[in-house]
Amino acid sequence: MSSQDEKHAKDAVTRALKHSGLSRRDFLKLSSGGALLAGAAAGTGGMLYPAAARAVPTNARIVIVGAGAAGLSCATRLARELDGADITLIDRRQDHYYQPGLTLVGTGVWQTEKLLDRNRRYVPSNVNWIHDMVAEYDPDNNRVVTETGRAVDYDFLMVATGLQVNYTAIDGMSENLIGHRGVGCVYDKPELAERTWQLIDQFVNEGGVGLFTRPRGDMKCAGAPLKVTMLVESRMKERGTRDRAEMHYLPPGTGLFSQPHTDDFLRKNFPERSIHIHWDHPLKAIDPERKTATFATPLGDETLDYDFIHVVPPMSAPDSLRNSELAAREIPFTGWLEVDRFTLQHKRYPNVFGAGDINGVPIGKTAASVKAQVPVAVENMIRTIQGNQLNPGYDGYTSCPLITELGQAILVEFDYDLKMKPSFPFISPYQEHWVPWVMKDRLLLAAYRAMLRGRI
Amino acid sequence: MAFSILGLLAVVLEFFRGWLWFIGLFLLLDFALTFYFLKRSAGCKTCWVLPAYVTVGFGVFIFVLAMITLPTITKSSWAALSGIDYLALIGASIGFGTLFAILAFPFMLNLLGIRSRPRPTSQATRTETPPQPQTSPQPQPAMAEKIAD
Ligand SMILES: Cc1cc2nc3c(=O)[nH]c(=O)nc-3n(C[C@H](O)[C@H](O)[C@H](O)COP(=O)(O)OP(=O)(O)OC[C@H]3O[C@@H](n4cnc5c(N)ncnc54)[C@H](O)[C@@H]3O)c2cc1C
């Protein structure tokens, strides 16, 4: 700025001040106050987005498949941590719902509205969102093809499709049955969890025979079938109707929970509450007309009558991924995304990464795992872009606030070695407490949303 | 899983997101009340002790109320509490008590913080000055010019 320009500017400011009736001194005071406020605001923003200042410049084309917990969290992080990248998110679903709350809706603790959200609120403005589903993966040509036939090329791919619930794997079972003829299931949409609550409410009042199942194989939140069972029992005690019901828990194998201490706790706790455990009872078929369920036991099929049954169908990777080159071909992760368990990079396609339920890793599929996986998957994708060495940072962290009664829970957190990893060492992972219940009921939804925004 | 301070802040922000407008409004009201008090109290005899006592009393009341009701509000019961839960309950109740006390202080200041009003000096001057005898008004310059016209 020349001295002439400076003089013009000063004159203009003085004229404007005169016009508005402010003295130069007042103006300086006001502007320094404003600067302080703006500085504070920018400072706070900077604190919450520390990585933005370190954004890595790149023109890489990145495709994220799936806008669930993991996909959105990856999108917000990548959008912030990369500068100039061309990021595309693919998912047809516009509604977002908080799945860990389904158990609470299904047992009448929460109203359905509390779960509902919109993906739009979380998708960053610099991310292209294609409202479609990926039908085909072509990793040899770095391309995915959507159901409407659109081919999308990428340099780097993040797979975050979650999993699919296979109702048809149980003879006679379908999604339409949920909420009718005593059949409940909290593993799908919020409206189905709500219908499940209507049945449970009736069962809690009237009693009868209650069957609580769990499928074979990998599933999301293996704690949820246990929580539903214990919450139903707790509701009956609350209403004084416990003696009207016979309760049976039917796991497919000889364990209740993968973490040994928690498993021990449950093995003692269920019999104390007169919840009968039937080992090796995977659900095979259901006859809603006769209200019977058939289990494939090692001794042959066994059919039981029920008044209420909580069906948890087997789960798998979505068909489009299961049938693709990206799927693992060997046991125990056949069909799931074949990633290295520590770096979350694909074992055969180094430009492909995975986050969330889709990953073929030996640990529970939970939103808590998503929280721990996403930063590692994102960091390793960025390191690959930069040509740096990967960080084997994912230790298998997962967590389950195991609700044992209305108002009580155990905060179970562990890793690949099944060792307890408490986030808050003062909360015992071996005992029932009120604090983890409050966390589950009041705080974890906020933590989930902060995760979707890439802040935790 | 370690939570950083910023991570916890982000969670707190999400927790209050739906209420931020209300909290903002309340804080603004508090600031306005504080400034109003400072303006009103210029030249007055003020008392900070009484509002402070009443505010602390109010905070203690909220603390006790929280202690009693928090388990039920969270769909639990006193019977479900053990060990660390009591500490958490006390901590949370202290937090609520402190928060409500801070929010209530400006109200208390305005209600109880001003002891005496300043003597309105302009009025005093008027009453002390003896009334001037009525004389015929002198024409103002503009008026004079008008008459001259
Ligand atoms: C009843 C229940 C209780 C639970 N309780 C807990 C709990 O207490 N604690 C906990 O931590 N976790 C819990 N979870 C698990 C947690 O919700 C999931 O682990 C988490 O949501 C997984 O996130 P994700 O992104 O991998 O999958 P999702 O959140 O399921 O998202 C997957 C997304 O991918 C999209 N998609 C799928 N296929 C395609 C395709 N071909 N193309 C494009 N998009 C596609 C889907 O539309 C979806 O939007 C629970 C889950 C359930 C069902």
Side-chain angles (χ1 to χ4, degrees):
Chain A
M1 215 188 224
S2 69
S3 59
Q4 188 96 22
D5 289 342
E6 237 175 79
K7 195 172 170 302
H8 278 311
K10 267 184 192 164
D11 288 348
V13 169
T14 316
R15 266 201 310 276
L17 287 175
K18 237 186 203 164
H19 199 73
S20 61
L22 281 173
S23 71
R24 194 175 271 272
R25 186 181 292 256
D26 287 339
F27 173 71
L28 285 175
K29 265 194 221 160
L30 273 178
S31 26
S32 56
L36 266 178
L37 271 179
T44 323
M47 274 188 343
L48 288 174
Y49 298 100
R54 290 180 266 119
V56 173
T58 175
N59 56 6
R61 292 166 307 168
I62 297 171
V63 167
I64 303 166
V65 188
L72 286 177
S73 191
C74 286
T76 45
R77 277 180 181 264
L78 284 167
R80 206 169 61 226
E81 292 176 26
L82 293 177
D83 179 17
D86 175 5
I87 305 173
T88 303
L89 180 67
I90 307 178
D91 194 335
R92 186 180 296 132
R93 202 200 276 174
Q94 313 237 7
D95 296 328
H96 191 97
Y97 52 88
Y98 175 62
Q99 294 177 42
L102 286 168
T103 320
L104 298 176
V105 170
T107 50
V109 180
W110 278 11
Q111 299 291 311
T112 312
E113 295 71 50
K114 200 160 173 182
L115 307 186
L116 307 179
D117 210 335
R118 306 279 298 163
N119 279 341
R120 174 53 68 207
R121 288 201 328 129
Y122 303 95
V123 178
S125 54
N126 54 346
V127 168
N128 317 310
W129 181 9
I130 299 178
H131 301 260
D132 204 342
M133 299 299 259
V134 168
E136 254 173 65
Y137 296 85
D138 181 3
D140 292 315
N141 293 303
N142 293 336
R143 178 179 302 151
V144 291
V145 182
T146 68
E147 282 179 359
T148 57
R150 182 168 170 182
V152 185
D153 293 326
Y154 61 81
D155 299 313
F156 295 90
L157 177 68
M158 182 69 77
V159 185
T161 58
L163 48 71
Q164 77 185 22
V165 177
N166 300 315
Y167 292 107
T168 50
I170 299 166
D171 282 347
M173 180 65 193
S174 84
E175 191 185 307
N176 299 333
L177 256 183
I178 299 170
H180 306 284
R181 314 273 326 146
V183 180
C185 173
V186 299
Y187 266 87
D188 210 306
K189 303 176 194 81
E191 57 271 24
L192 299 181
E194 196 176 316
R195 278 196 237 155
T196 300
W197 165 236
Q198 283 157 14
L199 289 181
I200 287 181
D201 194 27
Q202 192 183 343
F203 175 69
V204 168
N205 284 335
E206 295 171 6
V209 177
L211 304 182
F212 297 83
T213 70
R214 204 215 118 127
R216 266 208 184 105
D218 287 320
M219 60 181 291
K220 55 180 155 190
C221 193
L226 297 159
K227 290 183 227 180
V228 170
T229 313
M230 290 189 278
L231 276 171
V232 170
E233 201 266 344
S234 185
R235 280 242 175 259
M236 290 190 140
K237 282 192 297 212
E238 185 193 45
R239 292 192 197 167
T241 56
R242 180 64 186 90
D243 54 346
R244 292 185 199 163
E246 214 180 87
M247 292 184 68
H248 302 271
Y249 189 78
L250 306 113
T254 53
L256 292 176
F257 198 82
S258 56
Q259 208 291 326
H261 287 104
T262 312
D263 189 60
D264 284 348
F265 168 85
L266 292 164
R267 279 168 191 268
K268 279 193 214 109
N269 185 269
F270 271 33
E272 277 167 17
R273 305 166 78 158
S274 298
I275 301 171
H276 309 287
I277 304 171
H278 303 253
W279 304 113
D280 285 317
H281 272 62
L283 180 63
K284 183 182 167 191
I286 187 163
D287 183 344
E289 291 311 315
R290 292 168 53 208
K291 284 195 162 182
T292 60
T294 303
F295 296 86
T297 78
L299 303 173
D301 288 356
E302 187 181 334
T303 300
L304 299 173
D305 293 331
Y306 67 82
D307 293 292
F308 171 76
I309 183 167
H310 183 233
V311 176
V312 186
M315 300 172 204
S316 69
D319 291 337
S320 52
L321 191 118
R322 193 152 47 122
N323 301 324
S324 79
E325 270 303 307
L326 294 176
R329 293 164 192 151
E330 271 153 37
I331 292 172
F333 301 120
T334 320
W336 299 99
L337 187 71
E338 189 178 5
V339 289
D340 176 87
R341 63 166 76 174
F342 301 110
T343 63
L344 307 178
Q345 184 186 41
H346 199 278
K347 286 186 178 167
R348 287 174 282 122
Y349 297 95
N351 60 339
V352 177
F353 293 80
D357 290 352
I358 190 62
N359 281 343
V361 291
I363 201 72
K365 299 182 184 302
T366 64
S369 315
V370 170
K371 179 194 172 294
Q373 286 180 11
V374 166
V376 176
V378 164
E379 182 189 343
N380 282 336
M381 183 182 270
I382 295 175
R383 280 174 182 242
T384 310
I385 292 172
Q386 292 175 303
N388 292 340
Q389 226 185 352
L390 301 194
N391 168 21
Y394 181 56
D395 62 359
Y397 173 86
T398 192
S399 155
C400 173
L402 192 69
I403 300 171
T404 54
E405 300 270 356
L406 285 161
Q408 270 189 333
I410 306 179
L411 187 57
V412 184
E413 298 169 280
F414 55 100
D415 61 11
Y416 281 138
D417 301 327
L418 306 180
K419 273 211 305 259
M420 291 289 196
K421 286 198 73 183
S423 301
F424 307 98
F426 46 88
I427 304 175
S428 165
Y430 306 108
Q431 273 171 22
E432 296 161 283
H433 278 295
W434 169 66
V435 174
W437 160 266
V438 175
M439 286 172 86
K440 172 78 185 172
D441 185 36
R442 302 281 156 144
L443 299 176
L444 291 182
L445 175 56
Y448 179 86
R449 288 184 175 152
M451 177 183 85
L452 296 188
R453 292 183 199 279
R455 289 182 188 155
I456 59 165
Chain B
M1 166 113 304
F3 273 90
S4 65
I5 296 287
L6 291 181
L8 288 175
L9 261 180
V11 176
V12 171
L13 187 74
E14 285 301 328
F15 186 81
F16 287 110
R17 187 174 281 275
W19 293 87
L20 282 180
W21 64 272
F22 180 74
I23 295 170
L25 219 74
F26 212 96
L27 286 178
L28 265 179
L29 185 70
D30 263 5
F31 277 122
L33 280 173
T34 310
F35 280 119
Y36 180 57
F37 170 77
L38 292 176
K39 217 177 132 197
R40 263 177 71 205
S41 62
C44 290
K45 229 179 170 189
T46 53
C47 163
W48 293 75
V49 180
L50 184 63
Y53 272 139
V54 176
T55 304
V56 169
F58 179 63
V60 171
F61 170 71
I62 295 291
F63 164 78
V64 174
L65 198 72
M67 282 282 286
I68 296 169
T69 57
L70 268 183
T72 336
I73 289 174
T74 56
K75 303 174 204 123
S76 187
S77 67
W78 270 83
L81 268 60
S82 65
I84 187 78
D85 296 334
Y86 290 108
L87 274 183
L89 179 64
I90 292 170
S93 304
I94 290 177
F96 277 113
T98 313
L99 180 77
F100 276 80
I102 291 172
L103 291 179
F105 191 52
F107 286 89
M108 301 300 177
L109 273 180
N110 276 282
L111 282 178
L112 310 165
I114 297 179
R115 265 215 183 132
S116 65
R117 308 217 153 267
R119 294 176 130 214
T121 46
S122 56
Q123 213 175 356
T125 325
R126 212 185 304 150
T127 47
E128 278 159 22
T129 320
Q132 295 286 311
Q134 282 282 317
T135 52
S136 61
Q138 289 294 312
Q140 296 294 304
M143 185 80 111
E145 273 164 37
K146 265 217 163 138
I147 291 166
D149 277 345

